[in-house]
Each structure stands twice: as C-alpha cells, then as structure tokens.
Amino acid sequence: MSIPANTVAGPSGHMAMPGESTAATSATSQIASEVSLVNNELMYQTTMHVARELHKKGLLSTDEYKDLEAVFTEKYKPTLGVLISSLSLDYQGKQSDV
C-alpha cells in the first residue's frame, strides 16, 4: 500500500492523515500570541497615559489612579507596562508619586 506524498502516517504507521506543516502552524500560533501581547501592551500604555494625564490635571485622585492601574494591569497583563508605569516621570522630570 502506498501513501500519497502529502499525507503522514500516524503513530501506528497504519493511519494516514492529511499532511500539514506543524512548523507553520506553530509559527502562526506564536506570531498570533506575540501580536496579542503587543496589542495588550499598547492598550495598557494608552489607558494608563490617559489616567496619568487625568491625575496630573487633578481629575483623578492618587487612590483612583492606583485603582485603575490595578484593574488595567489585571485586564491587559502587560509585560513592560508595570515597569514603565512604576518609572513614570512627571513633566518636570521628578519621580512621580504614581
């Protein structure tokens, strides 16, 4: 019995399955995951930028800002955002209290 070139024998050697590049599937999955991480990071950074601006203008208290930061950190799970947020500087270059 011959197996067409575009199929792969299963673990038992008897079952033929349509061939699909697992490398391509893995790469596509990894790219999709990375795109998702970048999108989450961008959403977090954008949201926290707006929150910082509102805080600077006195429209958000420090407690409200910290509450928003906690909510959006949980929602977006940023990889760099927490580091950047903790290092945020105010417009005069001094360490911010948020």
Side-chain angles (χ1 to χ4, degrees):
M1 173 173 150
S2 68
I3 299 174
N6 68 343
T7 61
V8 178
S12 67
H14 295 88
M15 186 170 97
M17 300 179 298
E20 179 177 311
S21 171
T22 56
T25 302
S26 177
T28 302
S29 177
Q30 184 175 356
I31 290 169
S33 177
E34 290 174 9
V35 167
S36 178
L37 289 173
V38 170
N39 283 337
N40 282 353
E41 191 71 39
L42 288 172
M43 289 299 296
Y44 177 81
Q45 291 300 327
T46 302
T47 302
M48 294 313 300
H49 173 76
V50 171
R52 278 190 297 277
E53 291 300 311
L54 291 172
H55 181 259
K56 284 180 190 176
K57 293 177 181 179
L59 299 172
L60 277 180
S61 70
T62 299
D63 288 341
E64 290 170 324
Y65 176 88
K66 288 179 180 180
D67 288 346
L68 282 175
E69 185 177 35
V71 167
F72 289 114
T73 297
E74 177 63 28
K75 179 175 181 174
Y76 295 118
K77 296 178 180 16
T79 53
L80 297 174
V82 177
L83 294 173
I84 293 169
S85 181
S86 67
L87 297 174
S88 68
L89 303 175
D90 67 15
Y91 66 95
Q92 296 175 346
K94 298 179 215 165
Q95 188 69 31
S96 176
D97 66 338
V98 284

